[in-house]
Amino acid sequence: MDGPYQGMSLYEPYGVTGAIIPWNFPMLMFMLKVGPALAAGNTIVVKPAEQTPLTALYLAALAKEAGIPSGALNVVPGFGPTAGAAVASHMDINKVGFTGSTEVGKIIMEAAAKSNLKPVTLELGGKSPLVICEDADLDAAVDIANLALFFNMGQCCTAGSRVFVQDTIYDAFVAKAVEKAKKRVVGDPFKPEVEQGPQVDETQFKKILEYIESGKAEGAQLLTGGCAAGNKGYYIEPTIFGDVQDDMKIAREEIFGPVMSLLKFKTLDEAIKRANTSSYGLAAAIVSKDIDVANRFARSVRAGTVWINCYHVYDQSLPFGGYKTSGFGREHGLHSILSHMQLKAIVTPLKDSPWL
């Protein structure tokens, strides 16, 4: 420091933190929130999704068995308007992390502000663009698009749900993508040959079918699927719409189900512009053999994660989070640990220092 002073920067834990987690990856989300909070020296109160409370309770029991001190890790199951609201607005919780929809994220941010102005980390919704360029290996591109959208029954915030295909290869891509989707095995997820299980519950099941109906009504071309699979349970056929336009509901809103939208584009500039029109900015991807094209897209698209010639690749060393209404703050690794700590400056005077 200038003058006869010494300064120190010190990271300190917040104390009591809160986490509100979703139902689509209940074990993973629990660990992503709990691990960094405890590693940073905090205690934590976890509110699991009402659809999936048992996983969190079981993991907490295992943590207790492993020797985590009583009170360090707490699980409070319940519904959002009661248990979730209590975590977000509690005056003794000093930081909260939330993964879920943008709509609920705004409610949590407002509650945090109105209480003790606790900082929030928000990982919210997405409508991620996947751009397939004309020089792409077609089979590889189809595999990437299939994984990007249908992974976890489409119930993934980073799902590649807007697939932009260059017009020169559009028809060839459609033929291969439809063929692969029709071969996808839907059924009991405990059977090893099954690739796609049920949606999480009746509410989500009906919501997805409503989106499919809106796609039909707005003039998108239903290429395959579009119906419930079987007559029992919440299974939906892998669905692909072609000739989707940017203003259609299925191209704008997060469906959170196995519904792929295919959109044509002519030039990279057009693809970048249309990719960025979404209010979301969680993830994006491009498939191209030209690294200059890929890098230009990666630096131009407003998204927290950009994959080049791959999709759904995550690692604890990489920061994860969104732009725009997909939230703010970063999870994974050091970024997450530091987000669970406050930074303090300490200043002391120096006397008789040989360096002054």
Side-chain angles (χ1 to χ4, degrees), residues 17 52 75 101 128 141 154 171 206 227 246 275 300-301 313 315 317 319 328:
T17 62
T52 54
V75 176
S101 72
S128 302
D171 291 340
K206 289 181 176 179
C227 300
D246 294 325
S300 300
V301 70
V313 180
D315 192 272
S317 65
F328 52 82

Side-chain angles (χ1 to χ4, degrees), residues 3-76:
Y5 297 95
Q6 173 178 280
M8 292 187 294
S9 299
L10 177 66
Y11 280 104
E12 294 182 335
Y14 278 103
V16 182
T17 62
I20 302 170
I21 60 175
W23 47 259
N24 56 335
F25 297 100
M27 289 183 69
L28 176 65
M29 293 298 171
F30 183 95
M31 292 183 283
L32 282 177
K33 295 288 193 291
V34 169
L38 295 180
N42 302 282
T43 63
I44 188 167
V45 180
V46 181
K47 202 295 279 188
E50 53 264 31
Q51 297 90 340
T52 54
L54 299 182
T55 315
L57 291 167
Y58 187 69
L59 288 172
L62 291 177
K64 184 176 182 180
E65 187 178 324
I68 288 181
S70 296
L73 170 58
N74 312 274
V75 176
V76 181

Side-chain angles (χ1 to χ4, degrees), residues 63-337:
K64 184 176 182 180
E65 187 178 324
I68 288 181
S70 296
L73 170 58
N74 312 274
V75 176
V76 181
F79 291 90
T82 49
V87 171
S89 62
H90 203 289
M91 295 297 290
D92 293 329
I93 292 179
N94 300 315
K95 191 264 180 184
V96 66
F98 170 72
T99 298
S101 72
T102 297
E103 179 186 11
V104 176
K106 291 179 179 180
I107 295 171
I108 288 168
M109 189 173 178
E110 182 180 10
K114 286 182 175 180
S115 55
N116 56 352
L117 206 63
K118 61 175 68 65
V120 297
T121 300
L122 300 176
E123 194 268 278
L124 307 176
K127 194 68 181 175
S128 302
L130 166 58
V131 173
I132 312 292
C133 296
E134 60 187 356
D135 68 337
D137 179 301
L138 208 56
D139 290 329
V142 168
D143 287 345
I144 289 171
N146 187 277
L147 170 67
L149 190 281
F150 294 123
F151 171 64
N152 201 43
M153 291 71 72
Q155 298 172 151
C156 185
C157 52
T158 52
S161 51
R162 290 187 294 153
V163 183
F164 292 91
V165 184
Q166 201 149 16
D167 55 356
T168 51
I169 61 166
Y170 181 84
D171 291 340
F173 180 90
V174 164
K176 287 180 174 289
V178 169
E179 180 185 8
K180 188 173 183 67
K182 286 181 176 179
K183 293 179 180 178
R184 192 168 179 82
V185 182
V186 180
D188 182 351
F190 289 101
K191 295 181 178 179
E193 71 274 13
V194 169
E195 300 171 276
Q196 181 175 312
Q199 309 309 132
V200 68
D201 59 16
E202 185 179 15
T203 299
Q204 189 65 19
F205 173 77
K206 289 181 176 179
K207 177 184 174 184
I208 295 165
L209 291 177
E210 287 173 2
Y211 273 112
I212 291 172
E213 290 306 311
S214 79
K216 296 176 185 177
E218 290 187 318
Q221 182 185 4
L222 181 61
L223 300 171
T224 187
C227 300
N231 54 15
K232 183 180 180 182
Y234 304 132
Y235 299 90
I236 293 178
E237 295 174 342
T239 299
I240 300 178
F241 279 104
D243 296 327
V244 176
Q245 304 302 311
D246 294 325
D247 60 351
M248 291 179 179
K249 190 175 181 180
I250 58 173
R252 291 183 291 106
E253 299 183 11
E254 186 176 35
I255 299 174
F256 232 59
V259 182
M260 181 186 295
S261 295
L262 300 181
L263 307 91
K264 292 181 187 177
F265 77 95
K266 290 183 180 294
T267 67
L268 182 64
D269 285 341
E270 176 197 341
I272 291 170
K273 183 178 180 180
R274 292 169 65 190
N276 282 330
T277 56
S278 174
S279 63
Y280 295 111
L282 190 56
I286 186 168
V287 183
S288 173
K289 294 177 183 176
D290 189 332
I291 193 63
D292 293 329
V293 166
N295 278 331
R296 185 177 162 209
F297 174 82
R299 294 300 297 269
S300 300
V301 70
R302 293 187 53 74
T305 297
V306 182
W307 290 292
I308 296 174
N309 295 327
C310 59
Y311 212 99
H312 286 316
V313 180
Y314 309 92
D315 192 272
Q316 282 303 308
S317 65
L318 284 172
F320 179 75
Y323 283 29
K324 301 187 281 186
T325 62
S326 289
F328 52 82
R330 294 296 180 265
E331 295 187 302
H332 296 181
L334 182 61
H335 307 278
S336 189
I337 292 175

